Amino acid sequence: MTYQVNQLVDVVTACMQASSHKLVPKIMYWHQRTYSFTRLGFYHPTSRGQRMIHVFDMADETHTFRLEFDAESLLWQLKYISDGEP
Amino acid sequence: MNPSSLFPYNPAQPQLMHIDLNSCFAMIEQQANPFLRHRPVAITNRLTPGATVIAASYEAKAKGIDVGTRANEAKLLEPSVVVLETDPPKYIYAHRVFSEIIGSYSNDVAMKSVDEGIINFSHSRQLHPQPLTEVAAQIKQRFKDTLGEYVTCNIGIAPNRFLAKLAAGLHKPDGLDVIAAHNLEATYRQLPLLKLPGINRRFKARLAAYGITNCLEFLAAPESLLRRQVFKSINGHLWFMRLRGWEVDDYPTAIRSIGKQYVLHQPTASTQQLEVILTKMCEMLGRRLRGKGLSAGGLWVGCYLKDHSSWATRQKFKTRLYSTQSLFGAARHLLAQRPAEAVVQTLSITSYALEPAKSLQVSLFEATEPAHSRLADIIDHVNDRYGEFCVMPASMANTQHLVPDKIPFGSTRYFHKSSLAA
């Protein structure tokens, strides 16, 4: 099941210049809870007009998360959370 | 008969590499969501029971679910199948990464579709002197490093495009095969005719009518038989050469038409509702046309009706169609000719007689299209900058849910420039 969230969240990231993914979310704080991501599923950039949005499909042991980073506002938004099933 | 006695096989070293991402859309969804890996996954353009599967994971294919299966049929074949709606931005990004990777090996590359590309190493061997199988292994690893560890691709290496594509399909998934003169007959010996790219059931039946029932017999067939009797055209000669590894498929293709199709959620006979949908389709069609710098001389409008019949009409116009306004005016004029009370299930529009837009000519008697054209260009510019449909005709208000932009099936030539800009 997928739950639409669309809320701004706090995210701790890792920046790795030698990796093919330069910036990867590691920890997310949302509703007084801490979520530690165990893997990056897929990254893709997209654009809304000339605004660059970096989209990360992340996963922990039980859930998947869609996070978007707005390169203009420098804000993270949690788009949805899912138990892995559609 | 010894087929090699008829005409030599191309003895050249294989220099063409065909790369094909495995079940691209399904695999990318499995990469994005680790809980879907090693499970049957089917991708459709819409989450409705009648929607057609446009990509299936290998696990789904093993259960008989393939491109063209309807979602409800897929559920019957495999109740645990996960049906997902397409997520075009992901696939467009994968396509962009694909293009960048293969473009780094040669300046002679061609993307054949979203997930298929060809590298011609003929003029770049000095840059890559190692065996092409090593280069192929490197490309496979680069896909994994960039797109994700679950992403695999088939690679075929051969002296022409046809054999390279054939080689790429020999050992799916994650295959790597080389076809050259020395193993050409051995490769054909193990394949049924339908495995050959470009041979469908209709062609198979046509070949069978002349006693050609397998690939080796096809290879052995004289050129005159193929040209004069089987294909009755130059195609017979092309197949004769193609099968022997000679290149006959390296030619540019021009865009002859650009179209848009939409399956309505609720079939309707209402002109008002259809015109709202038509406006948005014309805007999206216009964006594609203008993105390519083209204008249309004619328009085709067709409907698939609820009673399973269809209707279509076309017309060429004196003034070129370029702006959304002119396209909509022409499309509305044609749609009005549909049978009264026709309940429309699917609406299609296609522009044809395409020419570069700069040749627009001012008409003395009809609406001043160049003025509309300039306005269309300005609106496109605003939408490029601030996002799609920031500025749109008032008649398109509240149509966000209608006619979503979907991934163009097969071809990449209609990708809008803003889709690839990120």
Side-chain angles (χ1 to χ4, degrees):
Chain A
M1 186 69 77
T2 299
Y3 300 95
Q4 298 296 326
V5 179
N6 295 315
Q7 289 178 12
L8 294 177
V9 289
D10 295 323
V11 173
V12 176
T13 62
C15 300
M16 298 167 288
Q17 58 89 18
S19 167
S20 55
H21 299 292
K22 308 293 180 212
L23 178 107
V24 179
K26 289 291 181 186
I27 297 168
M28 177 181 73
Y29 301 101
W30 179 54
H31 280 195
Q32 286 83 47
R33 282 193 61 184
T34 301
Y35 297 83
S36 296
F37 302 126
T38 51
R39 53 182 153 177
L40 167 66
F42 195 76
Y43 157 79
H44 70 277
T46 188
S47 59
R48 291 188 191 125
Q50 288 188 342
R51 274 173 101 96
M52 171 78 88
I53 309 290
H54 299 275
V55 185
F56 297 84
D57 288 302
M58 305 303 299
D60 65 8
E61 297 303 329
T62 51
H63 292 89
T64 61
F65 309 81
R66 161 75 55 106
L67 281 165
E68 289 189 357
F69 179 66
D70 186 325
E72 191 169 305
S73 67
L74 305 183
L75 291 171
W76 287 89
Q77 191 173 39
L78 176 63
K79 298 301 288 183
Y80 58 76
I81 182 168
S82 167
D83 60 2
E85 299 294 326
Chain B
M1 195 186 317
N2 176 8
S4 60
S5 67
L6 293 169
F7 194 84
Y9 303 147
N10 186 348
Q13 282 292 312
Q15 302 287 2
L16 280 159
M17 187 182 285
H18 183 104
I19 304 159
D20 179 1
L21 284 177
N22 295 134
S23 299
C24 178
F25 301 170
M27 184 182 58
I28 287 170
E29 294 301 341
Q30 289 177 307
Q31 172 62 46
N33 182 346
F35 299 107
L36 295 180
R37 294 180 193 176
H38 310 293
R39 290 175 58 185
V41 174
I43 310 296
T44 58
N45 261 333
R46 191 181 286 179
L47 291 179
T48 55
T52 305
V53 172
I54 62 165
S57 67
Y58 279 90
E59 296 80 5
K61 285 176 179 170
K63 303 290 183 182
I65 300 164
D66 211 336
V67 175
T69 308
R70 293 199 180 273
N72 50 4
E73 294 167 353
K75 285 280 184 189
L76 289 173
L77 287 165
E78 175 52 47
S80 69
V81 67
V82 178
V83 180
L84 297 173
E85 192 172 2
T86 48
D87 188 359
K90 276 195 210 124
Y91 317 143
I92 290 169
Y93 175 65
H95 168 79
R96 187 159 69 94
V97 168
F98 192 136
S99 305
E100 285 173 4
I101 288 176
I102 70 170
S104 66
Y105 287 90
S106 169
N107 61 353
D108 189 357
V109 299
M111 290 301 294
K112 303 303 286 182
S113 68
V114 178
D115 58 350
E116 279 185 309
I118 295 170
I119 309 175
N120 184 354
F121 283 94
S122 301
H123 309 294
S124 55
R125 287 297 282 151
Q126 286 170 328
L127 293 171
H128 306 285
Q130 67 270 49
L132 284 186
T133 48
E134 281 182 24
V135 176
Q138 190 184 72
I139 289 173
K140 281 171 177 275
Q141 189 56 47
R142 285 182 68 185
F143 278 128
K144 285 184 184 294
D145 292 343
T146 316
L147 293 175
E149 72 279 9
Y150 199 75
V151 175
T152 57
C153 64
N154 299 310
I155 297 185
I157 301 166
N160 72 352
R161 281 163 172 71
F162 167 77
L163 290 178
K165 184 174 172 69
L166 183 65
L170 289 179
H171 295 101
K172 290 183 175 182
D174 206 16
L176 170 56
D177 286 275
V178 181
I179 299 179
H182 72 275
N183 67 346
L184 189 63
E185 288 178 28
T187 304
Y188 283 138
R189 189 170 292 117
Q190 59 180 332
L191 295 175
L193 273 173
L194 286 174
K195 278 281 184 186
L196 298 183
I199 296 295
N200 56 23
R201 291 184 189 282
R202 195 165 53 88
F203 274 126
K204 186 188 172 196
R206 188 188 290 191
L207 291 165
Y210 293 91
I212 299 168
T213 57
N214 60 49
C215 293
L216 278 183
E217 288 172 354
F218 196 10
L219 183 68
E223 192 262 1
S224 58
L225 174 77
L226 295 177
R227 182 166 47 86
R228 291 180 187 158
Q229 296 182 53
V230 180
F231 292 94
K232 297 185 175 70
S233 70
I234 187 73
N235 283 333
H237 171 73
L238 297 179
W239 270 108
F240 183 82
M241 302 298 283
R242 188 180 284 136
L243 289 167
R244 285 162 174 73
W246 298 97
E247 188 58 85
V248 292
D249 298 309
D250 183 16
Y251 52 85
T253 53
I255 298 177
R256 295 178 187 279
S257 62
I258 295 180
K260 185 80 192 161
Q261 186 182 60
Y262 180 60
V263 182
L264 280 71
H265 283 281
Q266 287 291 329
T268 182
S270 160
T271 299
Q272 190 182 0
Q273 286 181 32
L274 288 172
E275 286 187 356
V276 170
I277 294 167
L278 197 63
T279 315
K280 189 158 183 188
M281 291 173 75
C282 288
E283 167 66 7
M284 296 168 90
L285 176 65
R287 287 281 273 163
R288 286 182 180 176
L289 263 179
R290 296 189 292 271
K292 293 284 177 192
L294 298 169
S295 66
L299 200 66
W300 177 95
V301 174
C303 303
Y304 182 72
L305 307 178
K306 197 182 176 189
D307 63 6
H308 304 295
S309 63
S310 56
W311 167 88
T313 188
R314 66 167 70 192
Q315 187 176 329
K316 279 199 166 186
F317 296 88
K318 287 178 183 169
T319 48
R320 304 291 301 173
L321 306 175
Y322 181 78
S323 66
T324 300
Q325 199 171 345
S326 64
L327 285 163
F328 176 66
R332 185 167 63 172
H333 165 71
L334 295 177
L335 186 66
Q337 297 169 28
R338 73 189 187 283
E341 308 302 321
V343 181
V344 177
Q345 175 94 59
T346 304
L347 190 56
S348 308
I349 54 171
T350 301
S351 58
Y352 61 96
L354 306 181
E355 285 179 13
K358 55 188 169 189
S359 62
L360 291 176
Q361 187 177 352
V362 179
S363 167
L364 285 174
F365 306 107
E366 296 185 33
T368 53
E369 175 61 8
H372 295 157
S373 304
R374 180 153 166 70
L375 180 61
D377 287 338
I378 292 168
I379 291 173
D380 285 352
H381 186 69
V382 172
N383 286 335
D384 281 344
R385 184 174 182 123
Y386 294 103
E388 214 58 31
F389 306 122
C390 271
V391 179
M392 59 186 177
S395 54
M396 269 175 57
N398 302 319
T399 61
Q400 294 91 332
H401 62 293
L402 293 173
V403 203
D405 210 2
K406 292 297 179 186
I407 201 89
F409 194 71
S411 173
T412 56
R413 63 190 182 186
Y414 300 143
F415 276 179
H416 188 266
K417 58 186 176 185
S418 64
S419 306
L420 293 168

